[in-house]
Amino acid sequence: MCADQIERLPTGITGFDHIANGGLPKGRTTLVSGTAGSAKTVFAAQFLAAGIKRGEPGVFVTFEETPEALRRNMLGFGWDIARWEAEGKWAFVDVSPQPEEELVELGSYDLGALLARIEHAVRSIGAIRLSMDSLGAIFTRLNDSRVVRNELLRIVSTLRRLGVTAVLTAERTQEYGEIARYGVEEFVSDDVVILRNLLEDEKRRRTVEILKFRGTSHQKGSFPFTVIPGEGIHVIPLSAIELKQRSSSVRTTSGNAELDRMCGGGFFRDSIVLVSGATGTGKTLMATTFMAAGVRQNERSLLFAFEESRDQLFRNAIGWGIDFEQMERDGLLRVICNYPEVTSLEDQLIFMKAEIDRFRPQRVAVDSLSALERVATIKGFREFVIGLTSFIKHQEMAGLYTATTPTLLGGSSITEAHISTITDSIILLRYVELFGEMRRGLTVLKMRGSSHDKDIREFTIDSRGMHIGRPFRNISGILSGQFTHIAPSEIDRLSAMFRDDEGDEPARDTAPTN
Amino acid sequence: MSKIVLHLYIAGQTPRAERAISTLRRMIEQELAGYECELTIIDVLADPQQAENQKILATPTLIKSSPPP
C-alpha cells in the first residue's frame, strides 16, 4: 500500500476516525448527506465540539436552526456552546430564516455578504473547523438556485484558501438514491459521507458510510452508529476491528471440575464460550457457577442478565449454594439486569462496554444472547455479537454467553448459527428422552486450541449445582433429537471395531464415520 | 412625516454595487423627492460585523430601517 499523501484531521467523533482511517481530509470540505432525522446537525455540531476539546476553534454556519435553538438542543450532549462562544472558541454565522423579515428578491445579486461574514468569523476566532448546516434550507429560501450553487462553490473555495476543514450537510430524499438534493455534490464532491436512518423490520438502525474520500483511503461499507446523550454520535467500527488480540494458553476454571476436565483442563483465560441449550437445561446455572468460580479465585466477575431479574437470579444462586449478595458486597461481583427492549442493540453495546471499562472484570457472562436477538435485525445482532466479542477479547477476559434453542429436543438456534464461528468453544446442553424420562446431556462440541472430551455425558442438577456423570452409551441421535436406543451387545461390538491399537482408549478423538 | 432611513449593503465596489447605488440615488432624488431620506452604504468586506449583526445574506441588500411598513 502506498503512503497516504493527504493529511487528516481527526474529527474526535468516537469510532468515526477509525472508519475514516484517521479523520477527514484536512483543509477540504466534506459533504455529509442524509435524510431528515439522520443526525446531520449533531454530526456538524459534534465535529466542532470535538475540535474545541482538542483546542481547535470552530465556526458554525446555520441555515436552518437558530443559534438559540442549537445552544439549547446541543446542551443535552454536554456541549456548552454559549460558554465556548464567550471564550472565543465557537462562533455562529446565523443565516437561519428570520420570521419577521420580509424578503423581496429584485434584480441580480450574489451571496457576497454571507461570504464576508464567514470569512470574518473564521478570522476573528482563528477557526480550524467549520460546519454548514444545512444546504437545503438556503436553496428553498432563495429562488435562484443557480446563484446559490455558484456562491456555494465560491464559499467552498474560500474555505480551502483559508485552510479550514469543513463539514457541509445536505438533505437527501431517499436512503438510497441520489447523494443529495439540488445537485450539491457536483461542486463539493471530493469527500462524501452518508448518514442513514433505516427502518428494518420496524426497528430503526442508523448507519454511516464514507462514500468517497478523493485520493485517499477509508473503510468501505456502512457502519452502525448511535446517538447517545452526553456524548453524541458514537460509531461502532465493526469491520475495522482488528484480529490481533493476544491468545494465552492459561486455563481458568469453569466452576465445575468435571467440565474443566472435559475441556482439557478448563477454559482458556481469554476465550469466549457459548453455552447453548433449551429452556431449563441449566444455562443460567452454568453462568452462575462460572461467575462464582471467578469470585472464589479473587477475580472480578461481571454478569449481564437479560432474562431474569436480580431477585430471581440471586434466589436461584442461593438455591445452588452461591451467595451473590455477599460477593457483590465484597466488590468482586457485579450483576446488571435489564430488559433488552429498553434500548437499541447499538446503545446496549456501548452501555455494556462502558460497564466493562468501569468494572474491569476478569470474566464476563451474558445470559442470554437470545434475549437480545429479539430486539434487533439479524445483521444488527451479528454486529453486536462481533463487537462485544472482540471487545471482550481485547481486554483479555474470559467470556461466557448463553443461547437458548427454540425446540426442547435437538435443533440449533439462530443465535448459534450466527455466532458459532465467533466463539472459541461451544458447549451444548440437551434434553435426552430415555425410556419415558427426561434426562440432561452435555457435550463439548468445540474447543479451539485444545483437545476435549467427545462424549455426550449425562448430568444432573441439585442443590449443589451441576454434576456431570457418565456418557450416554446406549442411545444415539441426541443432538438431532431423534433418539435411537441401542442394545448393549451392539455397543460392545461397535467399540471393539474402533478400538485403538493401545487398546485402552476407545475411539475418542476420531469420530466413527460410515 | 418621519424620516426614511435606508441601509444598502454591498460587497466591494463591484459593477453590481455601483448599479444598485446609482439606481437608489435616482429613486431618492426623483420619486422620494418630497421625503426626508437618509441613505447609508455599508461595504460588508470592510465591516463584516455589521453584516453579521443585521444577518445580511445576499448583496446588494437594501434595508428600510424606518418607518415600519
Side-chain angles (χ1 to χ4, degrees), chain A residues 381-398:
Chain A
F381 177 69
R382 208 183 149 77
E383 283 167 348
F384 167 83
V385 176
I386 297 174
L388 183 65
T389 304
S390 78
F391 183 74
I392 290 179
K393 285 192 163 189
H394 272 275
Q395 317 284 318
E396 290 171 28
M397 295 182 282

Side-chain angles (χ1 to χ4, degrees), chain A residues 339-494:
Chain A
Y339 269 109
E341 277 78 8
V342 296
T343 176
S344 75
L345 221 45
E346 286 83 12
D347 289 356
Q348 189 72 258
L349 177 59
I350 289 162
F351 165 78
M352 288 169 79
K353 281 180 172 179
E355 286 294 340
I356 291 171
D357 265 339
R358 198 171 312 141
F359 192 65
R360 298 243 132 256
Q362 275 104 35
R363 24 177 99 192
V364 175
V366 180
D367 184 40
S368 75
L369 281 183
S370 307
L372 292 168
E373 199 181 311
R374 290 201 300 263
V375 299
T377 58
I378 288 174
K379 190 170 158 51
F381 177 69
R382 208 183 149 77
E383 283 167 348
F384 167 83
V385 176
I386 297 174
L388 183 65
T389 304
S390 78
F391 183 74
I392 290 179
K393 285 192 163 189
H394 272 275
Q395 317 284 318
E396 290 171 28
M397 295 182 282
L400 184 138
Y401 302 158
T402 67
T404 312
T405 49
T407 51
L408 279 185
L409 299 175
S412 63
S413 67
I414 304 168
T415 315
E416 274 171 57
H418 283 282
I419 64 175
S420 53
T421 54
I422 302 163
T423 56
D424 298 303
S425 311
I426 299 178
I427 296 172
L428 299 182
L429 306 179
R430 290 288 185 266
Y431 283 117
V432 182
E433 190 194 333
L434 205 62
F435 302 114
E437 204 187 339
M438 271 300 200
R439 309 272 196 90
R440 295 183 174 98
L442 175 152
T443 187
V444 179
L445 195 66
K446 138 172 153 180
M447 182 84 197
R448 216 170 252 171
S450 165
S451 69
H452 60 89
D453 196 327
K454 306 290 191 296
D455 288 331
I456 301 176
R457 307 259 227 134
E458 179 168 7
F459 72 92
T460 54
I461 296 172
D462 67 9
S463 61
R464 287 183 1 263
M466 179 184 281
H467 303 280
I468 300 173
R470 290 155 35 115
F472 287 101
R473 276 295 179 218
N474 54 348
I475 187 164
S476 72
I478 291 173
L479 295 188
S480 67
Q482 293 173 340
F483 309 114
T484 320
H485 299 281
I486 307 165
S489 58
E490 181 70 4
I491 297 166
D492 289 340
R493 200 179 64 81
L494 279 172

